[in-house]
């Protein structure tokens, strides 16, 4: 469909790069961009209503050894494609939704909530005599006991034809479309053909396929396909071993997955294990979830897809889109029921990493607990003054060496001694906040010594990782790590862009801007009449 970088917006790349370089980043920039641009996105597919009924259990029923749940609360929320639309609207997009529903109480509740959220529902076709798909979960004391699915899978052809009529209207003037095909039957026959025709006619639209069978949409050649691990395995004809490293399996089958999905990139969601990005070119990228023990959350995958789509519409790099989407999904999964993540939620979450460092003693407490759970500790260190893609790729690789990644940052005084006058550009508080916000990073600590050897001796990581511009022989830390049985790992050298080059670009840009401001306010400039030549 669209070019790899997605739809372009004036200044999106420049502003994003500038703010990322100065470490204020997306926390400040994204809400402003959404408010000013309001990207227009279509969601087309299987809409449904999620019900969450909770109550207490005091006895078993007489007819069978089954609990009697006395319902005390009924909550409803848009589900499926409707949940994706709700998340996009909460994140600041202008959303048009197309799908099929009945003329029943479930549809009334579904449409009411969608409209209140600002979703355009003119593309939701209501069918007399049809049932709105509902999925009702019965819970007690925080535990889901049962889910009741009411799905009308055999939809009449006239219903699909009616949906086909509204699809071109919903696609009009959109910058992106999310195809939500969950097997409920809305995207078949005439509706499917009209959607395919509409997207072929608009190749500039960013196309994202979120489907139980992504291969069914391969002819669309979408920009992104977002199967979960089971759906990806089904595409490959594989049976996943529950004990296997699912991310590694997906990476090993990248070419086959891309061919089966027909996509420029496949993003496989791994539930509690995060996600893995498999692009046609370039390295794969991982994110790591911050899971919860309770299983009363639903729809975090819809939140992930919504945030991923929106970030890509903003022309952000795919790796950045992935980390943002993971953060949004983490927010949703920590809330009960079917929930959404708003722009304010996301900004608050990213901003919450401001005070994110732990001291060596607290870190040791956490490490001791993780080690007792059989988890391997990876430690790396550096200044990370102006974070760039080389850094994030390096940290992503480091995480994959073990289970828990600790990043030790040089203190401000230490950076000044190492890098000279004018450094660091960003204080330790800002540097720590940005690094801690990456999903691959578990803990951030600070050291002020010449080397991290005292910290290494204290926490004794199983793996000590450094970048490829070093060798084990160059590192004073090597003898210490190997002395207690640890391993030094040298990661790929990533010459994406040096911090020094980024800093020089920022300074040059600031100097040019200052000169322009001075010129604009000087008397000679003010006295010069505007040119009429152009």
């Amino acid at each position: 469909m669209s070019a790899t970088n997605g739809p372009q917006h004036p200044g999106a790349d420049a502003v994003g790069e500038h703010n990322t370089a100065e470490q204020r980043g997306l926390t400040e920039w994204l809400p402003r961009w959404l408010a000013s641009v309001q990207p227009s996105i279509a969601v087309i597919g299987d809409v449904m209503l999620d019900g969450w009924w909770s109550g207490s259990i005091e006895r078993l029923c007489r007819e069978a050894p089954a609990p009697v749940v006395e319902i005390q609360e009924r909550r409803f929320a848009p589900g499926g494609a409707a949940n994706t639309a709700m998340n996009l609207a909460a994140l600041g997009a202008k959303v048009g939704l197309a799908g099929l529903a009945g003329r029943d109480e479930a549809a009334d509740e579904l449409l009411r909530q969608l409209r209140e959220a600002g979703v355009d529902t003119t593309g939701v076709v209501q069918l007399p005599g049809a049932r709105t798909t509902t999925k009702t979960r019965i819970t007690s004391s925080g535990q889901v006991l049962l889910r009741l699915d009411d799905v009308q899978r055999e939809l009449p052809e006239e219903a699909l034809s009616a949906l086909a009529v509204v699809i071109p209207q919903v696609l009009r003037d959109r910058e992106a479309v999310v195809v939500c095909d969950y097997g409920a039957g809305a995207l078949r026959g005439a509706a499917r053909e009209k959607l395919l025709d509409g997207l072929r006619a608009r190749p500039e639209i960013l196309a994202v396929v979120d489907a139980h069978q992504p291969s069914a949409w391969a002819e669309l050649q979408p920009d992104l396909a977002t199967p979960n691990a089971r759906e990806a395995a089904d595409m490959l004809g594989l049976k996943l071993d529950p004990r296997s490293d699912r991310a590694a399996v997906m990476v090993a089958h990248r070419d086959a997955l891309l061919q089966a999905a027909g996509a420029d990139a496949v993003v496989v969601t791994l539930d509690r294990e995060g996600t893995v990005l498999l692009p046609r070119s370039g390295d794969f990228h991982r994110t790591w979830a911050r899971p919860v023990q309770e299983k009363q959350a639903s729809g975090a995958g819809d939140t992930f897809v919504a945030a991923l789509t929106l970030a890509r519409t903003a022309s952000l790099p795919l790796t950045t889109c992935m980390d943002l989407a993971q953060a949004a999904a983490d927010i949703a999964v920590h809330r009960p029921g079917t929930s959404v993540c708003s722009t304010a939620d996301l900004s608050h979450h990213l901003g919450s990493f401001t005070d994110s460092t732990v001291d060596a003693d607290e870190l040791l407490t956490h490490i001791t607990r993780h080690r007792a759970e059989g988890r391997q500790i990876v430690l790396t260190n550096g200044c990370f003054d102006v974070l760039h893609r080389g850094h994030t790729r390096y940290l992503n690789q480091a995480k994959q060496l073990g289970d828990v990644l600790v990043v030790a940052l040089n203190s401000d005084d230490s950076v000044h001694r190492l890098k000279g006058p004018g450094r660091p550009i960003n204080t330790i508080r800002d540097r720590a906040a940005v690094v801690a916000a990456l999903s691959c990073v578990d803990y951030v600590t600070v050291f002020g010594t010449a080397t991290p050897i005292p910290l290494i001796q204290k926490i004794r990581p199983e793996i000590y990782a450094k970048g490829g511009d070093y060798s084990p022989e160059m590192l004073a830390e090597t003898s210490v790590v190997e002395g207690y049985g640890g391993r030094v790992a040298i990661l790929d050298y990533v010459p994406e862009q040096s911090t020094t080059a980024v800093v020089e670009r920022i300074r040059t840009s600031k100097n040019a801007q200052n000169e322009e401001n001075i010129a604009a306010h000087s008397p000679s400039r003010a006295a010069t009449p505007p040119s009429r030549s152009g």
Side-chain angles (χ1 to χ4, degrees):
M1 292 299 299
S2 65
T4 303
N5 286 332
Q8 299 295 312
H9 300 285
D13 283 331
V15 174
E17 180 180 333
H18 175 72
N19 280 334
T20 300
E22 294 207 304
Q23 304 302 318
R24 293 194 300 271
L26 300 168
T27 303
E28 294 184 8
W29 173 73
L30 186 62
R32 291 201 305 269
W33 179 81
L34 289 168
S36 63
V37 177
Q38 278 198 302
S40 186
I41 300 175
V43 179
I44 300 176
D46 294 317
V47 301
M48 56 193 70
L49 183 70
D50 282 356
W52 292 85
W53 295 17
S54 61
S56 59
I57 300 174
E58 302 292 342
R59 58 192 173 88
L60 298 178
C61 68
R62 295 178 180 178
E63 297 85 358
V68 175
V69 182
E70 184 174 332
I71 300 298
Q72 296 161 339
E73 181 185 26
R74 292 177 176 85
R75 290 182 292 115
F76 298 94
N83 187 38
T84 302
M86 291 283 286
N87 274 277
L88 282 165
L91 288 167
K94 291 169 60 178
V95 186
L97 176 63
L100 295 172
R103 290 190 179 276
D104 50 21
E105 291 183 1
D108 293 343
E109 178 66 18
L110 174 63
L111 294 173
R112 181 189 67 79
Q113 292 197 32
L114 286 164
R115 289 164 183 159
E116 287 183 355
V119 176
D120 182 352
T121 61
T122 54
V124 179
V125 177
Q126 291 186 262
L127 310 171
R131 300 191 308 276
T132 300
T133 297
T134 59
K135 296 187 177 181
T136 304
R137 295 159 181 84
I138 310 298
T139 72
S140 181
S141 300
Q143 177 66 47
V144 176
L145 305 175
L146 182 68
R147 195 179 88 179
L148 307 174
D149 288 6
D150 187 2
V151 183
Q152 185 174 339
R153 298 188 185 278
E154 296 301 321
L155 297 170
E157 289 301 322
E158 54 266 30
L160 302 176
S161 297
L163 180 57
V165 170
V166 302
I167 284 177
Q169 303 167 25
V170 176
L171 287 177
R172 187 174 299 129
D173 298 325
R174 303 293 180 183
E175 297 159 66
V177 61
V178 184
V179 179
C180 300
D181 182 5
Y182 308 132
L187 293 181
R188 295 187 297 107
R192 173 188 169 88
E193 292 308 314
K194 187 63 70 173
L195 176 56
L196 288 171
D197 289 344
L199 291 175
R200 290 188 188 108
R202 296 275 312 282
E204 74 279 7
I205 293 181
L206 176 76
V208 179
V209 169
D210 186 34
H212 287 341
Q213 294 182 314
S215 55
W217 294 93
E219 63 182 290
L220 178 60
Q221 295 185 307
D223 298 275
L224 295 168
T226 58
N228 61 32
R230 181 183 57 78
E231 292 160 352
D234 288 345
M235 281 200 294
L236 297 169
L238 293 177
K239 184 175 177 62
L240 283 178
D241 185 337
R243 298 165 298 178
S244 66
D245 182 340
R246 297 187 297 171
V249 172
M250 300 304 153
V251 171
H253 292 85
R254 170 161 69 171
D255 292 344
L257 277 172
L258 287 165
Q259 182 175 358
D264 286 342
V266 171
V267 177
V268 183
T269 56
L270 305 168
D271 193 30
R272 297 172 63 86
E273 297 167 31
T275 68
V276 59
L277 165 68
L278 306 170
R280 284 198 178 273
S281 60
D283 290 335
F284 74 93
H285 180 76
R286 280 290 311 272
T287 68
W288 282 263
R290 302 177 192 271
V292 292
Q293 296 302 318
E294 297 81 5
K295 295 297 290 182
Q296 262 210 300
S298 178
D302 300 328
T303 303
F304 180 90
V305 171
L308 179 69
T309 302
L310 192 62
R312 197 59 174 152
T313 306
S315 301
L316 295 174
L318 260 177
T319 52
T320 303
C321 296
M322 292 277 290
D323 283 314
L324 267 176
Q326 183 64 67
D330 287 343
I331 292 167
V333 83
H334 281 77
R335 294 172 174 169
T338 305
S339 63
V340 300
C341 171
S342 69
T343 310
D345 293 331
L346 193 53
S347 292
H348 181 267
H349 175 78
L350 295 174
S352 69
F353 292 98
T354 302
D355 297 311
S356 52
T357 60
V358 294
D359 62 29
D361 290 334
E362 183 182 355
L363 177 62
L364 180 59
T365 300
H366 292 300
I367 294 304
T368 301
R369 172 171 54 84
H370 290 309
R371 195 167 275 134
E373 297 167 348
R375 307 179 76 186
Q376 285 203 322
I377 312 304
V378 182
L379 172 69
T380 191
N381 66 281
C383 299
F384 296 98
D385 190 7
V386 177
L387 203 70
H388 55 69
R389 283 177 294 173
H391 287 139
T392 56
R393 179 178 167 188
Y394 163 80
L395 292 173
N396 207 271
Q397 290 178 350
K399 170 72 172 184
Q400 294 170 59
L401 296 173
D403 303 302
V404 177
L405 175 61
V406 178
V407 179
L409 298 179
N410 291 78
S411 67
D412 288 346
D413 288 343
S414 175
V415 175
H416 182 74
R417 291 195 300 268
L418 288 169
K419 303 294 185 180
R423 300 292 295 277
I425 297 294
N426 296 285
T427 66
I428 186 59
R429 190 167 183 262
D430 291 335
R431 289 186 284 128
V434 173
V435 171
L438 298 174
S439 69
C440 59
V441 176
D442 295 291
Y443 298 99
V444 175
T445 192
V446 181
F447 70 100
T449 51
T451 72
I453 287 177
L455 178 64
I456 291 172
Q457 292 172 326
K458 188 177 188 74
I459 69 171
R460 299 166 68 93
E462 281 76 13
I463 301 158
Y464 176 63
K466 289 295 286 183
D469 44 348
Y470 294 92
S471 68
E473 293 73 26
M474 295 169 60
L475 298 171
E477 299 90 336
T478 298
S479 61
V480 177
V481 174
E482 293 179 346
Y484 63 74
R487 176 168 69 91
V488 174
I490 303 300
L491 303 177
D492 293 344
Y493 177 61
V494 187
E496 294 260 4
Q497 56 187 123
S498 73
T499 298
T500 303
V502 176
V503 171
E504 184 59 34
R505 187 165 67 248
I506 293 170
R507 287 174 172 162
T508 302
S509 174
K510 283 184 174 179
N511 290 338
Q513 184 64 52
N514 289 338
E515 290 174 5
E516 183 177 327
N517 290 340
I518 292 170
H521 292 89
S522 67
S524 60
R525 174 66 177 267
T528 304
S531 169
R532 297 178 182 274
S533 62

